[in-house]
Amino acid sequence: MAHSNPTPAELPTAVVVFDGGRPHLRERAEALLPDLKRYFAVTSVQDDLDEVFHPEGAQFAVTLGGDGTILRTARLMADQQLPVVGVNLGNLGFLAALQPEHLDRALPELAAGGHTLIDHLMFECELVNADGGATSRLGLNEVAVLAGPPFSMLEAQLYVDGDLVATYNCDGLIISTPVGSTAHNLAAGGPILRKDLQAFVIAPISPHTLTNRPVVDSADHVYEVVVPAPNEGTSLLVDGQVVAPLTPGDRVRVKRSRSVFQLVEVSGQSYYQTLRHKLGWGRRPRDPQDDGPC
């Protein structure tokens, strides 16, 4: 269905976000700006993802990069969450699913209001130290406690609403949102959750006991991880970024955030379509004869 070009007064407003510290990404992002300005009134361009967020009254945030750019943008927006249009200039792109070659079709549709907003669970991760100090991080993907050097197995205790659930002997423990279920959680053997579910998945990494399996539970609970005797290099990570090393007596507390991440979908995009494409679901096994001689 064709869309007429909107007048400047009708254009939706947007802040364009990309990591300008990466020269190849800056070059590609700046090349796309003229196309974006045909369908958005660009209020500002944020090319430093460590600066304070300046939406300048924008209705949308258009990210140019990969899923990592979206994760950093979600953290950057904090309690000023805007619906995100993710343009994929990276590799896999579960979140940044809009390919640059599809912008001529997708942007007129979006400017005409032909899009869907999908809400995604975000979390607050608080590291509470034994001395009472605390560090807090907002996240979209996952919390990970990793063993680190000297890479001996951890004993990690999981509590839900203050009740001890399990003690894992493992290389680490992941608490993931549905969005993050296709990231580290998936690589560790955890399940894929539909992205609009309000749930967390807890997945041990290489557990010593085979009955320690991933657990899915409601996002309405408070989850805590305690490592009584961490390794020298045991660390807490949020969305792939190191928050701090863990020391005895530290508690990692995870709960639902009041902030909600919103991702824009246009026609031709769907969750299962993305999974089929990115994970290769439904492809027929190759015929060995197609490979030719060894």
Side-chain angles (χ1 to χ4, degrees):
M1 180 177 180
H3 298 280
S4 59
N5 289 334
T7 65
E10 297 172 330
L11 292 174
T13 55
V15 52
V16 176
V17 184
F18 61 89
D19 184 358
R22 301 167 64 187
H24 71 286
L25 186 56
R26 173 180 287 278
E27 182 179 351
R28 295 189 65 191
E30 290 179 343
L32 286 175
L33 276 174
D35 290 331
L36 295 176
K37 290 179 178 179
R38 291 167 54 199
Y39 300 105
F40 289 104
V42 175
T43 61
S44 61
V45 175
Q46 180 128 6
D47 59 3
D48 187 339
L49 302 187
D50 295 318
E51 287 289 330
V52 175
F53 184 54
H54 296 292
E56 308 295 347
Q59 297 167 286
F60 296 92
V62 180
T63 64
L64 306 176
D67 286 356
T69 300
I70 290 185
L71 294 177
R72 293 177 67 186
T73 300
R75 183 169 63 250
L76 181 73
M77 292 192 292
D79 59 356
Q80 304 180 75
Q81 295 291 320
L82 298 176
V84 170
V85 180
V87 180
N88 185 27
L89 302 184
N91 296 315
L92 203 55
F94 279 101
L95 291 171
L98 184 57
Q99 300 301 319
E101 59 268 25
H102 298 155
L103 289 180
D104 286 343
R105 172 189 59 79
L107 292 184
E109 180 180 332
L110 192 150
H115 61 275
T116 303
L117 295 181
I118 308 297
D119 289 348
H120 298 74
L121 173 70
M122 298 189 75
F123 62 83
E124 294 281 349
C125 176
E126 186 178 29
L127 174 60
V128 182
N129 302 119
D131 62 5
T135 302
S136 183
R137 291 287 188 276
L138 176 69
L140 176 60
N141 250 20
E142 82 262 316
V143 171
V145 172
L146 303 182
F151 301 108
S152 58
M153 194 172 293
L154 289 182
E155 179 184 287
Q157 299 169 345
L158 172 68
Y159 295 81
V160 177
D161 294 337
D163 290 332
L164 178 63
V165 174
T167 299
Y168 300 95
N169 291 301
C170 57
D171 290 341
L173 195 66
I174 302 166
I175 301 178
S176 170
T177 66
V179 167
S181 69
T182 53
H184 199 170
N185 165 75
L186 182 62
I192 295 174
L193 304 186
R194 187 177 177 90
K195 60 186 177 181
D196 55 359
L197 290 177
Q198 301 300 299
F200 289 112
V201 55
I202 301 96
I205 302 172
S206 303
H208 184 65
T209 303
L210 296 180
T211 54
N212 286 151
R213 311 306 300 166
V215 173
V216 178
D217 203 347
S218 167
D220 293 329
H221 299 298
V222 177
Y223 298 83
E224 288 185 306
V225 178
V226 176
V227 180
N231 294 336
E232 181 180 340
T234 298
S235 298
L236 168 66
L237 289 78
V238 171
D239 288 352
Q241 303 297 311
V242 176
V243 175
L246 294 188
T247 58
D250 290 350
R251 302 184 75 88
V252 177
R253 185 173 297 141
V254 181
K255 63 181 180 180
R256 177 204 295 269
S257 172
R258 289 179 294 179
S259 298
V260 175
F261 178 77
Q262 292 184 308
L263 192 64
V264 174
E265 284 188 354
V266 295
S267 63
Q269 287 182 285
S270 73
Y271 184 53
Y272 287 116
Q273 180 188 52
T274 299
L275 291 178
R276 285 198 310 271
H277 177 66
K278 302 298 183 181
L279 299 180
W281 288 358
R283 292 178 185 167
R284 294 180 179 179
R286 291 188 303 174
D287 186 332
Q289 294 181 355
D290 293 340
D291 293 336
C294 294

